[in-house]
Amino acid sequence: MMALVTKAKSISGGTMNISILLLSCIVSVSAFSLAPINLNRGRASIASTSEDGSCLTVRRLSTTPFSVGGPSEELLQLFSRQVTQEFSASQLYLSASIWFNRREWEGMAAYMLAESAEERGHALGFVDFANKRNIPIQLETIEAPDAQWESPEEVWADILKLEETNTASLLKVAEAANECQDYAVLAFLNPFHMEQVFAESKISAILAKVKDENKTPGLLRQLDHELGLEAGSA
């Protein structure tokens, strides 16, 4: 430092200004290099103070490319339970498919079977993501789904309740992910949220048509045919 200041004094004009400038830069660099670096839950942070020493500023450095805070214990539990929820949904759709098939509603049976496979695919998607993120998954016992319906209306009403329950379950997972700033989980969940919006809207419309069967005879058979075409069975 002294060598730089001495050299600056040999320059005619602005000697003092150059010395002060060089000294200021060296002090600034030294202060930054000596700033303490702390670790908080796997995240590095650099602490620095203002010129008068009255204000402490902490700047966090993320150590993971996809997540800021990492999954909390609550998030880990909810994520694992969502796998069970998706498998349970698959079982209920399968039960509904069997119910419709035994009563020769082939279109609705095919639709329910396709939805059962889709829900199972969702569960496996959660498992695949969990494996990539080292999220522990604990498979739980799945209760036998309902199968004692009296009418198609009762079946579709239960399917709507199922989708509403699934929506609420996914939102709980998202809330937990948001609280701990796990953006990777939030990004993973986004397509499921949108799918639930469409699913609830569609099932509500189907249920409304089923309820109108008494007013419009033959509407249920027409609906059965349309759903069969959608499922690729006809």
Side-chain angles (χ1 to χ4, degrees), residues 124-198:
L124 295 177
F126 270 81
V127 171
D128 181 61
F129 180 85
N131 288 337
K132 292 176 181 177
R133 283 291 308 279
N134 293 321
I135 297 176
I137 296 295
Q138 182 177 355
L139 298 180
E140 302 174 0
T141 302
I142 300 176
E143 296 183 2
D146 194 359
Q148 305 302 317
W149 295 290
E150 297 295 332
S151 66
E153 182 178 334
E154 288 186 6
V155 180
W156 286 104
D158 277 358
I159 292 297
L160 179 58
K161 290 179 183 179
L162 167 68
E163 293 295 350
E164 291 172 344
T165 299
N166 205 23
T167 296
S169 181
L170 285 166
L171 289 175
K172 287 182 180 180
V173 180
E175 288 173 1
N178 188 58
E179 286 181 2
C180 62
Q181 296 180 303
D182 196 319
Y183 301 118
V185 172
L186 288 172
F188 170 75
L189 292 174
N190 278 337
F192 293 95
H193 293 317
M194 292 307 301
E195 188 169 330
Q196 287 304 119
V197 172
F198 297 131

Side-chain angles (χ1 to χ4, degrees), residues 14-107:
T15 301
M16 184 59 67
N17 291 337
I18 296 175
S19 300
I20 293 174
L21 177 61
L22 291 173
L23 181 60
S24 176
C25 292
I26 294 172
V27 171
S28 297
V29 172
S30 299
F32 181 79
S33 64
L34 294 176
I37 299 179
N38 303 317
L39 291 178
N40 180 17
R41 292 186 179 180
R43 291 175 290 172
S45 62
I46 294 180
S48 59
T49 57
S50 58
E51 293 182 359
D52 60 2
S54 62
C55 181
L56 177 66
T57 302
V58 178
R59 180 164 60 91
R60 296 195 183 281
L61 301 178
S62 176
T63 58
T64 57
F66 303 114
S67 169
V68 174
S72 64
E73 187 64 30
E74 180 186 16
L75 175 56
L76 293 177
Q77 293 178 1
L78 290 172
F79 197 96
S80 182
R81 289 174 188 168
Q82 188 61 34
V83 175
T84 302
Q85 173 64 30
E86 299 292 344
F87 277 128
S88 296
S90 176
Q91 289 289 84
L92 183 59
Y93 270 111
L94 180 59
S95 180
S97 176
I98 295 171
W99 190 91
F100 279 119
N101 190 65
R102 293 185 62 182
R103 288 158 182 78
E104 297 185 355
W105 295 97
E106 296 180 359

Side-chain angles (χ1 to χ4, degrees), residues 105-111 113-114 224-234:
W105 295 97
E106 296 180 359
M108 293 186 187
Y111 177 86
L113 186 61
D224 182 68
H225 177 69
E226 292 174 358
L227 292 175
L229 289 175
E230 182 177 333
S233 65

